[in-house]
Amino acid sequence: MAYSFPEEVLEHVFSFLSSDKDRNAVSLVCKSWYEIERWCRRKIFIGNCYAVNPRIMIRRFPEVRSIELKGKPHFADFNLVPEGWGAYVYPWILAMSKSYPLLEEIKLKRMVITDESLELIAKSFKNFKVLVLSSCDGFTTDGLAAIAANCRNLRELDLGESEVEDLSGHWLSHFPDSCTSLVSLNIACLVSEVSFLALERLVARSPNLRTLRINRAVPLEKLPYLLRRTSQLVEFGTGAYSADVRSDYFSNLTEAFSGCKQLKCLSGFWDVVPAYLPAIYPVCSRLTSLNLSYATCQNPELGKLISQCHNLQRLWVLDYIEDFGLEELAANCKDLQELRVFPSDPFAAEPNVTLTEQGLVAVSDGCPKLQSVLYFCRQMTNAALFTIARNRPNMIRFRLCIIEPRTPDYLTLGPLDAGFGAIVENCKELRRLSLSGLLTDRVFEYIGTHAKKLEMLSIAFAGDSDLGLHHVLSGCESLRKLEIRDCPFGDKALLSNAAKLETMRSLWMSSCSISFEACKMLAQKMPRLNVEVIDERGPPDTRPESCPVEKLYIYRSVAGRRFDTPGYVWVKKQL
Amino acid sequence: MMELQLGLALCGNSAKGYNLDDFNIGSLCGNFNLNNNIMKGSSSEILDVQDENNVQVLQTLPLLVWDKDDADGHNESQRKDGDENGMVGWPPVNALRKKLCHQSRHRLYAGAMNYVTVKNGGVGGGGRGSNCYKYVKVKMEGIGIARKIDLSNFQSYGTLTDTLISMFGKSRENGDVYKLTYQDKEGDWLLAGDVPWRAFVGSVQRLKLIRDEDY
């Protein structure tokens, strides 16, 4: 006789498992564990909304409270995915409105969400608490009004970097006076003015508010009114950080910031007037996260601010910081874990700032916990990359963007293969890598050989032949997402590694050498892959089959082909 | 028409003339007999497209000797219409950041044009919100009153000269043509335009517009 725990006990044990990986492992143990687990899974993460469909999800997990969905491929952020490609959330909302009445959280990334969807959310889920829309589009402030008006227990409304059609700021006034549950509000992406009075009142009646990110339209002199009413804030995003320089504005602001004893994270800072930066000095020593990536201020003010943030763990900044500022950062912020340096003028022909590989080397040297880097610059050497790799074997995310494609090592005039090779060889825990500069197939050989934990790889203007792609697909065991543009990779490498594609979430290739014929073949032989040819030149059969396709998006799916494709996307017809 | 054989596992059949399994990393001269036209949009300088029947993918290409000007001109003509330099989605910055870049650029020039009417005395207003001022005195020949201008608001000789001329209320149409001269750190007066912009900004102490007698 088999001895087993009663279901309730197992369910209780499983309730301590929060990671999807663990729950998926539990489901595979035996049929009864599968059954018990599926009834008590409350949180779902779907990395590609087309990998599965609402019906399949609801059938397996009937009691979900929280869902996270991702839609368009990452390169959509850079305009590479044409308008209308897909990632519509409405079918999901519709299905969940019928099957998940107790749904509390919806988190979306790169999806299209209409006002209709927002209204349906507002109407269908009585206990709705969290709405996070990261880089989404398709909705207007009318949809937001519906959410504000109807979600009585709303805790979090985060619009991320979404594109919202901003009809008016009045939507904010739709939060009823009885709504006091807000913990987090991020409206930084909105363009038009919200009613400041409504915002102030909302903030004043939200005792649990910990995150507030306002939009650019809120002027600096109004900030103290907000900060005074919500001095328990942990994360704050300013609006435009500019005003005529007046001592009363300055002292009010400084006093208001001083009152925020819990403040750990600052962002916003559009249109910075440097004279107002010292108003933040009182909170600098507590800051762990600082996003100055929209702040067009320079040294010495910039450096002076940052060097007071001794507990800084995350810094996002423009390249106005320059090498000098990064050296100061390395000297003062020993807890730094993540650095992102964005370009202030990415399209200028000549560099407008003195930001080189030296800055990054300095930070890699001075900050022992540095593990995540995004760095835009205009020059690099293998030597610098060697040094960075040696200094920081704990690197997990390394994204380097040398602005001009195919830029060689400026000392040797050769490719940067060896430098990136050193990165993947030394940084054994590397999970994400973005390449740039002059690169041959050799760098892919290094990556295939060493980058065993690599999950996401971004490649642009690199490589010589199919061999490059082959090295990556055959060598990178943990690869989940691969995105490639403007590389001479062709059919052979893709078709020889077709099976690999089923172990990955997705592959994006644009401006490469994959023929339509190869796409058809892949689609035919691999029924569990969706092969999408994205080509705005017209139907692929109006060109020779050997002609390379413009763009290609391949992803594994249990849902079969989708039926919401626009005219310029070709998917295989028969299942 | 090329016959492609699909190998699902690495030890399966590969395309004819080429077996990836046997591939020795050291020898990069696999004989890829690709019998098709590889039509390349943007990277034809990497793949050498030969005649239709016997295209051979080259071995590791000769390393490009970096000639920035050459590369720029060459690449630009092959890019699709897209962002500023003609390349879609490169550099990889999102729409929000691109918009910001445009805005701060326009503010640079707007700031220069509105120099005379700036309200807050130039404290970080307009431009890059920068505190990296470089105020220099500017005189124009024939005009008694000198002006002061913040060079950090400009990025080229052209925009500087245009602004200066309109600032003094002159225009090219009235027939006068002016040369821009400057006094450098050593005290010498030189003709502006010979040295790179950044070097110029670093050494200029004052400016003077003088009439170009040669016209």
Side-chain angles (χ1 to χ4, degrees):
Chain A
M1 184 182 105
Y3 172 83
S4 60
F5 285 123
E7 276 186 24
E8 294 81 14
V9 175
L10 277 173
E11 207 176 298
H12 183 71
V13 172
F14 294 166
S15 71
F16 292 99
L17 298 174
S18 51
S19 111
D20 283 341
K21 268 210 178 106
D22 291 340
R23 281 191 163 261
N24 291 344
V26 153
S27 311
L28 292 175
V29 167
C30 63
K31 280 196 182 141
S32 72
W33 280 36
Y34 176 92
E35 275 303 307
I36 296 167
E37 194 283 320
R38 75 182 189 89
W39 279 95
C40 69
R41 188 168 318 201
R42 299 282 175 260
K43 239 175 152 193
I44 304 271
F45 168 78
I46 295 171
N48 174 8
C49 63
Y50 289 120
V52 73
N53 63 35
R55 187 182 51 83
I56 295 173
M57 174 186 72
I58 291 168
R59 188 180 64 197
R60 179 171 172 189
F61 300 113
E63 298 278 346
V64 166
R65 302 275 187 274
S66 162
I67 182 169
E68 184 176 345
L69 280 167
K70 293 188 178 181
K72 301 177 197 170
H74 173 234
F75 275 177
D77 285 355
F78 316 127
N79 271 355
L80 286 175
V81 177
E83 195 72 32
W85 173 82
Y88 305 107
V89 80
Y90 185 75
W92 292 86
I93 309 289
L94 187 59
M96 292 191 297
S97 69
K98 298 178 185 141
S99 304
Y100 295 159
L102 299 177
L103 190 72
E104 295 177 1
E105 301 185 354
I106 295 175
K107 300 181 183 176
L108 306 177
K109 187 165 187 180
R110 290 192 202 96
M111 294 202 70
V112 178
I113 178 165
T114 56
D115 286 348
E116 197 184 7
S117 297
L118 289 169
E119 282 151 22
L120 192 52
I121 293 172
K123 227 176 30 191
S124 316
F125 308 116
K126 295 302 162 203
N127 209 18
F128 195 69
K129 295 202 170 93
V130 172
L131 183 63
V132 177
L133 302 175
S134 177
S135 303
C136 295
D137 64 281
F139 61 105
T140 78
T141 41
D142 285 353
L144 296 179
I147 296 285
N150 295 297
C151 302
R152 312 258 168 93
N153 296 314
L154 195 67
R155 269 202 332 234
E156 189 173 333
L157 179 60
D158 182 343
L159 302 181
E161 302 209 318
S162 297
E163 253 182 68
V164 187
E165 197 182 324
D166 215 331
L167 299 174
S168 96
H170 288 309
W171 68 273
L172 198 76
S173 317
H174 286 254
F175 278 107
D177 288 339
S178 54
C179 176
T180 59
S181 48
L182 267 186
V183 173
S184 169
L185 180 64
N186 175 5
I187 57 170
C189 64
L190 293 181
V191 173
S192 69
E193 255 182 75
V194 291
S195 152
F196 186 77
L197 211 53
L199 178 62
E200 202 184 342
R201 280 208 226 108
L202 178 62
V203 158
R205 67 175 183 277
S206 304
N208 300 320
L209 197 66
R210 295 292 174 269
T211 297
L212 178 64
R213 296 202 163 100
I214 58 185
N215 63 341
R216 201 169 175 178
V218 178
L220 179 142
E221 61 268 22
K222 294 256 170 81
L223 293 185
Y225 293 102
L226 293 176
L227 291 174
R228 273 185 221 126
R229 296 195 185 288
T230 167
S231 54
Q232 71 284 12
L233 276 184
V234 175
E235 301 181 334
F236 182 62
T238 74
Y241 204 70
S242 62
D244 291 344
V245 180
R246 282 169 51 163
S247 56
D248 55 337
Y249 285 176
F250 184 83
S251 54
N252 288 344
L253 189 59
T254 311
E255 200 191 315
F257 272 120
S258 310
C260 297
K261 304 287 185 199
Q262 324 259 27
L263 207 52
K264 288 230 170 67
C265 172
L266 278 179
S267 59
F269 297 108
W270 289 280
D271 316 311
V272 168
V273 167
Y276 281 107
L277 285 177
I280 307 169
Y281 288 177
V283 301
C284 281
S285 59
R286 286 191 287 271
L287 289 181
T288 57
S289 170
L290 185 55
N291 182 352
L292 295 170
S293 66
Y294 297 111
T296 51
C297 55
Q298 305 188 9
N299 290 322
E301 290 74 21
L302 185 54
K304 213 162 162 214
L305 173 65
I306 293 172
S307 46
Q308 294 185 53
C309 304
H310 297 286
N311 289 309
L312 207 57
Q313 294 172 14
R314 178 200 294 163
L315 176 66
W316 292 19
V317 73
L318 284 172
D319 55 10
Y320 287 132
I321 191 171
E322 298 194 310
D323 289 341
F324 178 68
L326 290 175
E327 282 154 24
E328 287 192 312
L329 177 70
N332 290 294
C333 306
K334 295 302 186 184
D335 274 350
L336 195 72
Q337 295 174 21
E338 176 179 334
L339 174 67
R340 294 195 189 189
V341 179
F342 294 93
S344 53
D345 199 352
F347 303 108
E350 294 291 320
N352 59 327
V353 291
T354 312
L355 181 99
T356 69
E357 77 282 7
Q358 293 307 320
L360 186 55
V361 169
V363 181
S364 76
D365 194 35
C367 302
K369 300 187 189 167
L370 186 72
Q371 59 177 24
S372 177
V373 166
L374 170 62
Y375 199 74
F376 282 81
C377 61
R378 289 169 189 271
Q379 64 182 54
M380 188 51 58
T381 63
N382 285 301
L385 289 171
F386 286 147
T387 308
I388 293 165
R390 238 191 353 257
N391 286 341
R392 296 276 63 82
N394 52 325
M395 191 73 72
I396 289 178
R397 275 172 233 104
F398 190 73
R399 298 158 69 188
L400 181 67
C401 180
I402 304 168
I403 288 175
E404 182 63 34
R406 306 193 187 92
T407 302
D409 174 327
Y410 72 86
L411 291 178
T412 69
L413 298 183
L416 291 168
D417 298 338
F420 279 107
I423 295 280
V424 294
E425 193 173 347
N426 286 18
C427 307
K428 302 204 192 313
E429 300 300 313
L430 197 69
R431 293 203 304 255
R432 185 166 180 183
L433 178 64
S434 299
L435 305 172
S436 57
L438 181 65
L439 297 165
T440 72
D441 284 345
R442 177 129 271 163
V443 73
F444 300 112
E445 186 190 331
Y446 294 139
I447 291 172
T449 308
H450 296 288
K452 295 306 181 186
K453 299 242 176 114
L454 194 66
E455 297 179 5
M456 182 168 178
L457 179 61
S458 308
I459 309 172
F461 306 101
D464 311 309
S465 73
D466 278 41
L467 200 53
L469 180 56
H470 172 66
H471 283 311
V472 171
L473 289 177
S474 59
C476 296
E477 291 161 5
S478 310
L479 197 63
R480 291 190 299 114
K481 288 181 280 183
L482 180 58
E483 47 185 25
I484 303 172
R485 64 163 293 171
D486 293 89
C487 295
F489 299 149
D491 299 342
K492 279 199 165 59
L494 188 65
L495 295 176
S496 316
N497 292 285
K500 170 72 174 176
L501 299 177
E502 266 191 21
T503 69
M504 292 165 53
R505 182 189 294 174
S506 66
L507 167 65
W508 168 279
M509 293 180 75
S510 55
S511 304
C512 297
S513 301
I514 307 291
S515 70
F516 181 59
E517 182 180 13
C519 294
K520 280 208 312 196
M521 194 171 292
L522 196 62
Q524 202 181 14
K525 301 274 184 182
M526 309 289 292
R528 288 186 301 190
L529 286 183
N530 279 1
V531 177
E532 295 194 7
V533 171
I534 300 166
D535 210 317
E536 290 175 284
R537 297 173 296 181
D541 51 20
T542 60
R543 292 178 291 280
E545 288 214 326
S546 54
C547 180
V549 300
E550 273 184 351
K551 299 167 184 171
L552 176 62
Y553 187 49
I554 302 172
Y555 53 90
R556 66 182 175 187
S557 177
V558 295
R561 62 158 288 191
R562 60 186 177 111
F563 292 91
D564 59 359
T565 48
Y568 55 79
V569 173
W570 175 88
V571 296
K572 75 170 182 268
K573 294 199 171 51
Q574 62 279 68
L575 260 165
Chain B
M1 217 28 166
M2 180 176 72
E3 278 298 295
L4 272 178
Q5 292 200 326
L6 174 59
L8 286 184
L10 279 178
C11 55
N13 281 329
S14 318
K16 69 176 166 206
Y18 172 69
N19 191 342
L20 278 168
D21 259 4
D22 291 341
F23 217 82
N24 183 353
I25 300 302
S27 69
L28 284 170
C29 18
N31 230 346
F32 294 74
N33 248 337
L34 289 176
N35 240 4
N36 58 359
N37 256 336
I38 299 175
M39 287 183 279
K40 288 293 296 169
S42 43
S43 312
S44 61
E45 71 267 23
I46 299 257
L47 267 186
D48 208 352
V49 178
Q50 299 180 356
D51 64 281
E52 214 168 331
N53 292 329
N54 191 7
V55 176
Q56 280 199 316
V57 178
L58 294 179
Q59 311 164 21
T60 318
L61 291 170
L63 300 177
L64 299 171
V65 175
W66 188 246
D67 181 352
K68 201 173 195 181
D69 293 332
D70 197 22
D72 277 351
H74 197 43
N75 288 348
E76 228 133 52
S77 60
Q78 291 163 40
R79 302 273 179 249
K80 271 164 71 171
D81 278 312
D83 300 80
E84 304 236 347
N85 54 2
M87 239 188 298
V88 180
W90 192 266
V93 292
N94 64 22
L96 202 58
R97 197 159 290 288
K98 261 195 284 188
K99 223 186 291 177
L100 228 80
C101 165
H102 280 135
Q103 285 174 0
S104 60
R105 273 239 202 109
H106 288 138
R107 237 181 262 125
L108 277 175
Y109 299 124
M113 291 306 153
N114 291 331
Y115 167 75
V116 182
T117 59
V118 161
K119 294 187 195 93
N120 57 5
V123 177
R128 307 182 198 140
S130 102
N131 242 1
C132 193
Y133 307 133
K134 176 85 188 200
Y135 277 105
V136 293
K137 262 198 183 152
V138 191
K139 281 200 83 170
M140 184 178 236
E141 192 177 4
I143 293 181
I145 299 173
R147 302 291 195 99
K148 246 190 166 176
I149 195 165
D150 180 1
L151 282 180
S152 67
N153 280 334
F154 301 90
Q155 281 180 326
S156 72
Y157 288 108
T159 50
L160 174 62
T161 336
D162 286 344
T163 306
L164 290 176
I165 300 227
S166 59
M167 216 168 81
F168 282 99
K170 302 277 184 199
S171 70
R172 290 238 153 83
E173 281 99 72
N174 72 9
D176 288 329
V177 179
Y178 289 85
K179 283 192 294 206
L180 182 63
T181 63
Y182 70 104
Q183 187 179 38
D184 72 358
K185 280 189 178 136
E186 269 87 18
D188 301 321
W189 281 93
L190 307 165
L191 195 61
D194 289 335
V195 299
W197 174 255
R198 295 196 99 202
F200 166 73
V201 173
S203 71
V204 61
Q205 300 302 300
R206 58 179 72 206
L207 295 166
K208 188 168 186 188
L209 286 161
I210 59 178
R211 270 195 213 96
D212 193 339
E213 303 300 329
D214 297 338
Y215 273 75

